[in-house]
């Protein structure tokens, strides 16, 4: 090498977690959450109920994304927890619990159930896990429908909620849903920023390689599984409170998975912001086109196919990739000092 | 006209440029040894010739015809066969099935299962054994035999001696010699310079994706090749 | 003795599940695709036979003949348009696209035909109702025996195809290493399309027998899908004869469950499925983690 070159000092880099965009957006998100608390006060009961549905969708999307996007666990059976959460609430209320406390306990119950269940299902990979969870949901649905005290096959409602006025009921339901949704989102956010977050990313990219550098793969997946179980259980309880009537076929139905897949796929799998966007998209579609019956569902299915083929990274994922956006500070950035 | 003409080939792995502007011509019946350090781009070059890797730029012409956008399985039909790095046999298929899968019909002196087993007698008793149960040398023989079943005009061999005991490598090269003597055009990627120089008519050396040395095997000294291999002296490609 | 009869009925039922699972096993074995629309494709096959029967007064088995090439084309088209692209984006995407496809098929069927529950048992004539009384307690229905026989034939035929023909060898090779298969002259895309075509056509056959044996309606797909999956997984993913064994185990589990209490029938199948999955082998003919 005879070519001479002027010596240029090597650029210095620093690692940062918060960029300017991240800080402003996180502040915005917190403000938004606070603003959302005022919805029941400012809007009608009907709107509040719709807003509750939206929050439930956000929660479900975030949970499914946590499993599939961060844990690589594709579950076609999260509806098992949705149904369990709802029916656990019914059971507790049958035993004279306050409905809203019952809902929280039902979510915890689902977390509890997910622990022994995880020993069974987390040994499966890929297809076996996906279908295995679905079978668990189907089995749970059958078991519930055989129980008369839970309303059997015809369904049940939460009559204890009648002790509140409709206004109170809708408001309390809304606030509880908001609180739970924000809680789980915050929990996921902190989880992703922690060491576990990097482990999960590694697991998602290459499980064996991650294990070889000491990442505790099973533990990471397990944590996600339990959180998703609790979150979906809470969503189920909230759905019961919001819609008042449930029956086994629908609350344990695989349609829930269809919606979760749609939201996460459209929003962006594996991103933090994606599921939220996907939930908003589904919510808008449901409200605008829900009355079109068959064609609405056909359109939904076709949209899912279209997104999977054309925009596999979803709306947010594509935006992130295109513009190098990092809004929520869950990752690390290499920043050249002096920039 | 040369059998294979590669012009200004660029190939990438994501953002990494593996092959930079490589131009190479190979005549029918020649044996060319392609040498270079790990990561020099040899495998990517072979895969691009075989159609398994899409080049970012440049041209591959086979027998006068532009095959740059022809898919791999069609190139096999035209007469290009690659024995991939690491053998890559179909593990659950038997030796015979591995050979049969690759069978291509062509007029003339066709390779078939019996002829391949004659060329590699060690495989005869292993005919019905699953490929995953074979030793390295046996797998290599099967992999070469499989490529031969496609009746290639151009045979590309990627690191046939990798992971094999020296005795096994001797066997492989003995069989290769028969092939070469029979007139098959061969491009051989080989880490062992001694064997490369023995087997080949011409030697081509790659460094960091570029061709840095090219010449007839008997004319190039080991020192010159070694220098080019490690990039110790800037050598313009002929 | 009624328990023995339950087992016999379960074995016969298993034939249907094996047939349903066969197509699923092919797609998973060759391409690692879980086709969540498989059940709906079987139902689609049943509806197409019904359409043929509306125009021609023949036996449903004859009506199946023109439907088969249509389904082959449907499968081929599916692979080439949607599934191939889905495969490129990773293992998750085919799950999502086939799920979307499932919803589309179900609702298009609903739109085209009413939500009424139907059956083709009537058109099948005596086959659907005849049975052979073996002993006082045990009887073998004609249709049950027929389905089991067809399942064995189809699975056997597939096995022969895979092991004896060049196309079958190519399919196995592509399943194990599509990249290298291309290097030895195999057109992987064409192989995949063939596999899907075969899977969808077999689904149609299964759909026909399901329609004759019992009933069908636009949303019947997912239930059949679960049974098909349970059959494949119990038998061990990637093994064709395993699918037959798995189907039979599932059928027997369901009929024995029904003996205890009709409401427990499907549940018993689910529990056996979970038990098999949880066992060390993870499947009757598979080793956990092994592929074809």
């Amino acid at each position: 090498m005879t070519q001479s070159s002027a010596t240029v000092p090597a650029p210095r880099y620093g690692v940062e977690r918060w960029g300017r965009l991240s800080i402003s957006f996180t502040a915005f998100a917190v403000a938004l959450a606070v603003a959302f608390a005022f919805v029941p006060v400012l809007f009608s009961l009907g709107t509040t109920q719709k807003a509750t549905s939206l929050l439930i969708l956000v929660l479900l999307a975030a949970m499914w994304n946590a499993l599939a996007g961060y844990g690589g666990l594709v579950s076609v059976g999260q509806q098992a927890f949705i149904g369990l959460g709802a029916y656990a609430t019914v059971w507790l209320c049958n035993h004279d619990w306050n409905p809203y406390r019952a809902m929280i306990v039902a979510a915890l119950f689902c977390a509890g159930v997910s622990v022994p269940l995880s020993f069974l299902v987390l040994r499966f990979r890929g297809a076996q896990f996906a279908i295995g969870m679905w079978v668990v949901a189907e089995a749970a649905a059958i078991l519930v429908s055989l129980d008369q005290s839970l309303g059997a096959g015809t369904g049940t409602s939460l009559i204890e909620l009648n002790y509140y006025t409709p206004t109170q009921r809708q408001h309390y339901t809304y606030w509880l849903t908001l609180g739970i949704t924000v809680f789980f989102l915050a929990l996921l956010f902190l989880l992703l920023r922690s060491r576990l977050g990097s482990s999960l990313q590694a697991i998602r990219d290459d499980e064996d390689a991650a294990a070889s550098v000491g990442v505790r793969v099973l533990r990471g997946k397990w944590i996600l599984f339990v959180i998703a179980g609790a979150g979906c259980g809470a969503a189920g309880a909230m759905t019961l409170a919001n819609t008042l009537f449930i029956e086994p076929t629908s609350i344990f139905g695989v349609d829930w998975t269809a919606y979760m897949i749609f939201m996460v796929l459209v929003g962006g799998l594996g991103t933090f912001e994606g599921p939220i966007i996907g939930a908003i998209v589904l919510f808008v579609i449901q409200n605008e086109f829900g009355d079109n019956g068959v064609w609405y569902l056909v359109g939904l299915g076709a949209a899912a196919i279209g997104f999977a083929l054309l925009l596999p990274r979803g709306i947010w994922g594509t935006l992130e990739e295109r513009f190098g956006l990092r809004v929520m500070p869950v990752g690390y950035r290499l920043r050249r000092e002096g920039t | 006209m040369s059998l294979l003409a590669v012009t200004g080939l660029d190939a990438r792995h994501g953002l990494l440029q593996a092959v930079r502007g490589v131009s190479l011509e190979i005549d029918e019946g020649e044996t060319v040894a392609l040498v270079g350090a790990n990561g020099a781009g040899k495998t990517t070059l072979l895969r691009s010739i075989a159609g398994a890797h899409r080049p970012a730029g440049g041209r591959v012409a086979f027998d006068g015809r532009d095959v740059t956008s022809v898919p791999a399985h069609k190139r096999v039909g035209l007469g290009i066969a690659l024995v991939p790095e690491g053998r890559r046999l179909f593990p659950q298929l038997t030796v015979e099935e591995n050979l049969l899968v690759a069978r291509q019909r062509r007029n003339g002196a066709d390779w078939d299962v019996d002829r391949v087993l004659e060329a590699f007698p060690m495989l005869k008793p292993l005919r019905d054994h699953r490929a995953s149960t074979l030793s390295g040398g046996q797998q290599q023989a099967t992999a070469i035999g499989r490529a031969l079943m496609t009746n290639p005009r151009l045979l590309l061999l990627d690191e046939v001696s990798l992971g094999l005991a020296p005795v096994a490598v001797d066997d492989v090269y003995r069989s290769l010699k028969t092939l070469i003597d029979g007139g098959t055009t061969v491009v051989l990627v080989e880490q062992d310079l001694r064997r490369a120089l023995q087997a080949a008519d011409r030697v081509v050396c790659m460094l960091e994706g570029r061709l840095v040395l090219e010449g007839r095997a008997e004319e190039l000294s080991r020192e010159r090749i070694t220098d080019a291999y490690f990039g110790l002296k800037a050598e313009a490609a002929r | 003795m009624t328990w023995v009869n339950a087992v016999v009925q379960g074995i016969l039922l298993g034939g249907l599940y094996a047939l349903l699972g066969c197509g699923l096993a092919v797609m998973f074995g060759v391409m690692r695709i879980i086709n969540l629309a498989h059940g709906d494709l079987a139902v689609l096959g049943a509806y197409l036979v019904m359409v043929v029967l509306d125009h021609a007064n023949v036996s449903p088995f004859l009506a199946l003949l023109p439907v088969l090439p249509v389904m082959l084309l449907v499968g081929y088209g599916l692979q080439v348009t949607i599934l191939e692209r889905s495969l490129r984006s990773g293992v998750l995407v085919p799950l999502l696209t086939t799920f979307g496809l499932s919803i589309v098929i179900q609702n298009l069927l609903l739109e085209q035909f009413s939500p009424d529950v139907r059956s083709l048992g009537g058109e099948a004539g005596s086959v659907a109702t005849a049975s052979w009384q073996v002993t006082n307690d045990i009887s073998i229905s004609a249709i049950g025996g027929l389905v089991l026989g067809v399942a064995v034939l189809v699975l056997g035929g597939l096995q022969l195809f895979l092991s004896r023909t060049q196309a079958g060898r190519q399919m196995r090779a592509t399943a194990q290493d599509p990249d290298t298969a291309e290097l030895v002259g195999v057109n992987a895309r064409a192989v995949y399309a063939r596999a899907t075509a075969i899977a969808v056509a077999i689904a149609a056959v299964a759909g026909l027998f399901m329609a004759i044996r019992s009933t069908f309606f636009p949303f019947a797909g997912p239930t059949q899908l679960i049974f098909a999956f349970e059959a494949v997984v119990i038998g061990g993913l990637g093994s064709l004869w395993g699918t037959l064994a798995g189907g039979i185990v599932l059928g027997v589990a369901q009929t024995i469950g029904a003996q205890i209490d009709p409401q427990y029938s499907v549940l018993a199948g689910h529990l056996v499925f979970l038990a098999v999955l949880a066992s060390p082998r993870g499947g009757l003919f598979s080793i956990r983690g092994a592929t074809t």
Side-chain angles (χ1 to χ4, degrees):
Chain A
M1 295 271 263
T2 52
Q3 189 189 25
S4 71
S5 48
T7 42
V8 175
R12 295 184 47 166
Y13 290 90
V15 176
E16 67 168 25
R17 308 213 64 181
W18 296 86
R20 227 170 306 142
L21 188 58
S22 308
I23 294 177
S24 43
F25 200 82
T26 311
F28 172 69
V30 171
L32 195 66
V34 170
F36 255 74
F38 291 97
V39 163
V41 173
L42 298 171
F43 297 97
S44 69
L45 280 187
T47 311
T48 308
Q49 194 199 30
K50 288 225 174 94
T52 314
S53 309
L54 173 61
L55 287 172
I56 293 176
L57 285 180
V58 170
L59 177 58
L60 286 173
M63 292 295 103
W64 205 85
N65 183 50
L67 271 181
Y70 291 113
L73 293 166
V74 177
S75 165
V76 181
Q78 285 311 98
Q79 62 268 20
F81 293 111
I82 299 177
L84 272 176
Y87 274 100
T89 311
V90 170
W91 188 87
L92 287 167
C93 289
N94 284 351
H95 290 77
D96 301 322
W97 276 69
N98 168 276
Y100 290 107
R101 274 195 217 117
M103 290 177 209
I104 298 183
V105 173
L108 290 172
F109 169 71
C110 286
V113 166
S114 67
V115 172
L117 188 61
S118 69
F119 294 130
L120 174 67
V121 295
L122 283 186
R123 294 157 65 206
F124 313 154
R125 280 220 201 170
Q128 291 160 320
F129 174 78
I131 308 302
M133 281 304 300
W134 191 1
V135 173
V136 168
E138 292 289 312
I142 296 177
L143 285 171
V144 162
S145 63
L146 292 176
D147 187 334
Q148 288 300 335
S149 75
L150 293 175
T154 44
T156 184
S157 54
L158 214 51
I159 32 175
E160 287 75 5
L161 284 177
N162 287 339
Y163 295 144
Y164 302 91
T165 69
T167 314
Q168 283 176 319
R169 193 183 63 228
Q170 193 62 66
H171 286 194
Y172 294 160
T173 303
Y174 176 83
W175 280 319
L176 184 60
T177 309
L178 178 64
I180 287 182
T181 305
V182 169
F183 168 74
F184 275 101
L185 284 178
L187 182 63
L188 275 181
F189 177 69
L190 290 172
L191 206 67
L192 291 173
R193 280 178 60 87
S194 74
R195 189 164 171 173
L196 182 64
S198 315
S199 312
L200 291 173
Q201 174 85 353
I203 292 170
R204 200 176 75 215
D205 286 345
D206 188 331
E207 216 171 283
D208 295 320
S212 72
V213 294
V215 169
R216 293 175 62 185
V217 175
L218 205 56
R219 199 178 74 111
K221 290 186 176 181
W222 183 85
I223 291 177
L224 286 174
F225 186 74
V226 171
I227 291 180
C232 289
M238 302 290 98
T239 303
L240 173 63
N242 200 34
T243 58
L244 297 177
F245 178 78
I246 53 164
E247 42 104 26
T249 330
S250 59
I251 199 81
F252 282 105
V254 78
D255 280 353
W256 287 106
T257 292
Y259 293 140
M260 285 188 271
I261 292 181
F262 181 86
M263 290 188 282
V264 172
L265 191 56
V266 166
L269 182 73
T271 65
F272 186 83
E273 307 84 343
I276 300 174
I277 294 185
I280 295 174
V281 170
L282 181 62
F283 177 71
V284 167
I285 292 179
Q286 272 182 338
N287 279 290
E288 290 303 303
F289 303 107
D291 294 327
N292 293 31
V294 165
W295 291 113
Y296 151 67
L297 284 171
V298 172
L300 215 57
I305 297 175
F307 265 94
L309 296 182
L310 301 171
L311 269 179
R313 306 207 52 186
I315 296 176
W316 192 257
T318 315
L319 283 177
E320 243 183 20
E321 198 174 327
R322 215 38 107 61
F323 301 112
L325 285 178
R326 272 286 181 264
V327 174
M328 295 302 277
V330 288
Y332 294 86
R333 279 202 97 133
L334 204 60
R335 193 167 214 105
R336 201 156 163 168
E337 267 164 33
T339 313
Chain B
M1 187 184 50
S2 39
L3 183 63
L4 178 75
V6 176
T7 324
L9 196 73
D10 278 325
R12 294 207 186 106
H13 285 294
L15 292 173
L16 173 70
Q17 183 106 16
V19 177
R20 300 170 205 266
V22 166
S23 295
L24 182 63
E25 275 188 29
I26 300 182
D27 292 322
E28 186 132 31
E30 262 201 295
T31 303
V32 175
L34 180 58
V35 303
N38 282 334
K42 312 186 297 294
T43 298
T44 313
L45 178 61
L46 284 194
R47 283 175 64 88
S48 302
I49 297 173
H53 191 104
R54 244 224 179 124
R59 197 170 162 271
V60 177
F62 185 70
D63 209 10
R65 176 182 159 173
D66 188 341
V67 297
T68 320
S69 40
V70 174
H73 67 269
K74 287 224 177 92
R75 293 195 204 189
V76 174
L78 293 174
I80 304 179
L82 170 66
V83 181
E85 194 180 9
R87 270 85 65 182
R88 303 285 289 274
L89 292 179
F90 302 112
Q92 302 303 318
L93 274 82
T94 63
V95 167
E96 180 158 9
E97 288 177 324
N98 264 279
L99 296 178
L100 286 173
V101 165
R103 185 173 51 194
Q104 295 268 335
R105 247 165 264 289
R106 228 186 293 280
N107 296 326
D110 282 353
W111 283 93
D112 59 16
V113 176
D114 291 318
R115 202 173 143 197
V116 167
L117 291 178
E118 283 303 320
F120 299 100
M122 68 167 106
L123 294 179
K124 278 192 189 156
L126 301 169
R127 201 165 173 151
D128 294 317
H129 288 222
R130 286 221 171 145
S132 53
T133 61
L134 301 178
S135 75
Q138 295 161 343
Q139 285 189 2
Q140 191 61 71
T142 312
I144 297 177
R146 185 178 60 180
L148 289 174
M149 291 290 292
T150 68
N151 288 300
R153 294 178 62 191
L154 172 65
L155 185 62
L156 307 167
L157 295 152
D158 200 345
E159 304 260 22
V160 292
S161 57
L162 202 62
L164 296 188
V167 183
V169 180
D170 286 337
D171 281 333
V172 170
Y173 269 89
R174 208 168 299 133
S175 313
L176 274 182
K177 182 148 181 10
T178 322
L179 270 180
I180 292 169
D181 290 342
T184 315
T185 315
V186 172
V187 175
L188 186 58
V189 167
E190 180 54 70
Q191 295 260 18
D192 184 336
L193 271 183
R194 180 182 64 88
R195 288 199 197 269
L197 287 174
Q198 266 181 350
D201 303 320
R202 257 202 306 154
V203 174
V204 163
C205 183
M206 280 183 83
L207 177 68
E208 287 173 8
R210 273 181 250 273
L211 274 191
V212 292
L213 183 64
E214 201 185 323
R216 300 209 57 78
E218 60 263 16
E219 287 170 15
L220 291 174
S221 68
R222 286 204 69 177
E223 287 76 37
R224 275 188 74 189
I225 299 177
T226 320
D227 287 346
Y229 193 107
F230 292 108
L232 295 177
K233 291 198 189 105
E235 261 288 350
R238 293 278 160 93
Chain C
M1 276 311 259
T2 43
W3 289 100
V4 180
N5 188 37
V7 171
V8 170
Q9 299 313 313
I11 295 177
L12 296 176
L13 180 60
L16 179 62
Y17 292 153
L19 207 52
L20 271 169
C22 189
L24 219 54
V26 168
M27 284 187 75
F28 187 77
V30 177
M31 292 169 283
R32 294 285 169 279
I33 287 182
I34 306 174
N35 184 0
L36 292 177
H38 185 78
D40 305 292
L41 287 165
V43 172
L44 173 66
Y47 272 105
L48 286 179
V49 171
M50 193 187 81
V51 166
V52 172
L53 288 176
D54 281 344
H55 289 85
N57 196 358
V58 292
S59 142
F61 301 110
L62 230 57
L64 181 64
L65 290 179
V67 171
L68 279 180
V70 172
M71 292 304 271
L72 281 170
L73 279 173
V74 167
Y76 201 92
L78 214 63
Q79 176 65 30
V80 174
T81 53
I82 298 179
L83 293 178
E84 188 179 290
R85 279 199 72 156
S86 309
L87 263 179
R88 267 184 256 156
S89 310
V91 279
L92 190 63
V93 181
L95 251 170
L96 310 178
T97 45
T98 54
F99 210 92
L101 188 66
S102 163
I103 296 176
V104 169
I105 294 178
Q106 283 175 28
N107 285 282
L108 284 180
L109 283 176
L110 178 64
E111 176 68 20
Q112 185 65 28
F113 312 98
S114 70
D116 296 337
V117 175
R118 300 167 201 267
S119 171
L120 293 179
E123 281 81 339
S126 56
V127 169
T129 47
S131 68
W132 173 36
Q133 198 72 30
V134 180
T135 72
N136 268 342
D137 296 314
I138 303 177
S139 73
I140 296 183
S141 63
I143 189 70
L146 183 61
V147 176
L148 185 59
V150 169
V152 171
L153 274 175
V154 167
L155 281 166
L158 260 180
Q159 196 63 54
L160 273 174
F161 166 74
L162 287 174
S163 50
R164 295 293 167 85
T165 67
Q166 180 71 343
R169 263 189 292 266
Q170 290 182 339
M171 203 172 275
R172 285 160 61 212
T174 312
Q176 290 167 37
D177 191 340
D179 211 41
T180 309
E182 285 264 326
L183 288 176
V184 294
V186 176
N187 184 347
R189 283 185 64 209
V191 167
Y192 286 159
R194 256 175 251 152
T196 311
I198 293 174
V200 172
I202 297 179
V205 176
L208 170 67
F209 280 109
M210 172 195 72
I212 293 178
R213 220 175 175 283
S214 59
T215 60
F216 63 104
F217 62 103
F219 297 109
T223 323
Q224 305 309 315
L225 177 66
I226 289 213
F227 294 150
F229 258 116
E230 291 183 323
V232 174
V233 173
I234 291 176
L237 287 165
S239 160
L240 277 184
W241 288 119
T243 306
L244 180 63
I248 291 178
V249 167
L250 179 65
V252 170
Q254 286 190 353
T255 48
I256 290 189
Q259 271 297 114
I260 302 173
D261 185 328
Q263 285 182 307
Y264 290 164
S265 155
V266 173
L267 182 63
H270 291 332
L271 292 177
V272 168
F273 169 85
L274 290 171
V276 170
L277 263 193
S279 73
R281 288 205 65 166
L284 291 179
F285 287 89
S286 81
I287 304 154
R288 191 183 298 284
T291 55
T292 319

